[in-house]
Amino acid sequence: MDFFFAVSPILLVLIGMLLFSRSGVFMSVAGWIFAGLVAWLYFQTPLSVVIGASIYGIVKAFAITFAVAFTMLMIFIMKETGALSEIVKTIRSITTNKVEQTLFIGMGFGSLATSLGVVTPALFPPVFVALGFTPLAAVAISILCYDPLTSFALLSIPITLPARVVWGPFNIRPPGIVNLEQFIWVFTQKITIFLPVVSVCFALMMLYFVGKWEAVRKNLIPAVVSGLVLSLSALTMAYTKIVPVEVIGVLSGFFTMIVIYFMFRKSEKNRNKT
């Protein structure tokens, strides 16, 4: 029962958007109010903590709000200056088909850009439409490519912010954790354990929107490889701590782009030989 009430605000938002076609803005406010009521009435959280956490969250969310706003501004500037057309031309010159474009942009560049703070659902749909994708596929892939490593989005805010909130305002000290930096790394490691399954699933979903089950069947290996490269590279960096948490998503996305590029070049050469 505790688990159900813990996830109930998320379920409320999903039901409101999917079944009742309410806007994301409306349902996000409704979900926030409902989460506050659940915390106060069911989990017996002091009302002062609920209000304080809400204010703290609103202030901290300004970083994401600004990222979305400036991404939209960047799209407008790129379109007016012709930079968007140049990007499309470059992508076409280094990719051979829609499947490669989907994995190269969605799994590789999408994760890299998301980690840097770019909001891909706002930036990528015009790019995919210009590449010849249907509007539905363009929007779906742009949303999905925001999620393969979404824990590392916006320079790892989804990881570092909750850790700082738990360590700071809530003053929770897990056993064996001596400082905030160690807590962030432990939090990161626990999240990356799930990425091999999550990233592969997102790669398969992207291909489904490109060509339904036929595209998934024919390109199962590239999808699985791209998902595993993306996730296992992040997992390796999380456990070896060879780079800061903030750049794990950037490097994982970059590695994935390289692997996808050479993987399709190799398959193209094999086809030419036969």
Side-chain angles (χ1 to χ4, degrees), residues 214-230:
E214 183 70 13
V216 174
R217 184 183 64 81
K218 289 184 176 180
N219 302 280
L220 181 62
I221 293 178
V224 172
V225 170
S226 63
L228 290 179
V229 170
L230 184 68

Side-chain angles (χ1 to χ4, degrees), residues 68 72 76 85 95 108 128 148 163 187 193 204 216 229 242 271:
V68 174
M72 298 299 292
F76 176 78
S85 300
T95 56
F128 280 112
F187 192 26
I193 292 176
L204 296 175
V216 174
V229 170
I242 56 177
R271 285 196 299 268

Side-chain angles (χ1 to χ4, degrees), residues 166-244:
V166 170
W167 190 268
F170 291 104
N171 196 32
I172 297 176
R173 300 291 186 270
I177 307 298
V178 297
N179 54 50
L180 175 60
E181 182 179 0
Q182 183 185 4
F183 182 54
I184 290 176
W185 277 112
V186 171
F187 192 26
T188 302
Q189 292 165 358
K190 291 186 180 298
I191 289 175
T192 52
I193 292 176
F194 299 95
L195 291 182
V197 175
V198 173
S199 296
V200 170
C201 288
F202 273 103
L204 296 175
M205 283 190 285
M206 289 180 191
L207 292 184
Y208 176 81
F209 282 102
V210 174
K212 304 299 182 183
W213 292 114
E214 183 70 13
V216 174
R217 184 183 64 81
K218 289 184 176 180
N219 302 280
L220 181 62
I221 293 178
V224 172
V225 170
S226 63
L228 290 179
V229 170
L230 184 68
S231 56
L232 294 179
S233 60
L235 187 66
T236 301
M237 287 183 279
Y239 276 87
T240 58
K241 303 180 184 179
I242 56 177
V243 296

Side-chain angles (χ1 to χ4, degrees), residues 45-257:
T45 304
L47 189 59
S48 59
V49 174
V50 174
I51 296 174
S54 298
I55 295 173
Y56 187 83
I58 291 172
V59 173
K60 285 295 185 180
F62 284 155
I64 299 177
T65 303
F66 288 144
V68 174
F70 282 106
T71 297
M72 298 299 292
L73 177 61
M74 182 174 64
I75 296 171
F76 176 78
I77 295 174
M78 291 172 64
K79 184 178 180 180
E80 292 299 316
T81 59
L84 197 60
S85 300
E86 193 63 33
I87 291 175
V88 171
K89 188 186 302 182
T90 302
I91 293 174
R92 281 177 173 162
S93 68
I94 62 177
T95 56
T96 56
N97 52 55
K98 287 186 178 180
V99 170
E100 184 180 359
Q101 290 167 356
T102 299
L103 297 177
F104 185 84
I105 301 174
M107 295 299 292
F109 186 63
S111 295
L112 184 152
T114 297
S115 300
L116 288 174
V118 175
V119 183
T120 56
L123 176 61
F124 281 7
V127 175
F128 280 112
V129 170
L131 288 169
F133 287 75
T134 65
L136 175 62
V139 173
I141 297 171
S142 299
I143 293 173
L144 289 171
C145 74
Y146 194 66
D147 290 319
L149 282 177
T150 191
S151 301
F152 298 98
L154 302 174
L155 291 174
S156 299
I157 287 179
I159 286 179
T160 57
L161 179 57
R164 290 192 175 97
V165 170
V166 170
W167 190 268
F170 291 104
N171 196 32
I172 297 176
R173 300 291 186 270
I177 307 298
V178 297
N179 54 50
L180 175 60
E181 182 179 0
Q182 183 185 4
F183 182 54
I184 290 176
W185 277 112
V186 171
F187 192 26
T188 302
Q189 292 165 358
K190 291 186 180 298
I191 289 175
T192 52
I193 292 176
F194 299 95
L195 291 182
V197 175
V198 173
S199 296
V200 170
C201 288
F202 273 103
L204 296 175
M205 283 190 285
M206 289 180 191
L207 292 184
Y208 176 81
F209 282 102
V210 174
K212 304 299 182 183
W213 292 114
E214 183 70 13
V216 174
R217 184 183 64 81
K218 289 184 176 180
N219 302 280
L220 181 62
I221 293 178
V224 172
V225 170
S226 63
L228 290 179
V229 170
L230 184 68
S231 56
L232 294 179
S233 60
L235 187 66
T236 301
M237 287 183 279
Y239 276 87
T240 58
K241 303 180 184 179
I242 56 177
V243 296
V245 174
E246 288 78 6
V247 299
I248 289 178
V250 177
L251 294 177
S252 293
F254 180 69
F255 293 151
T256 305
M257 292 169 65

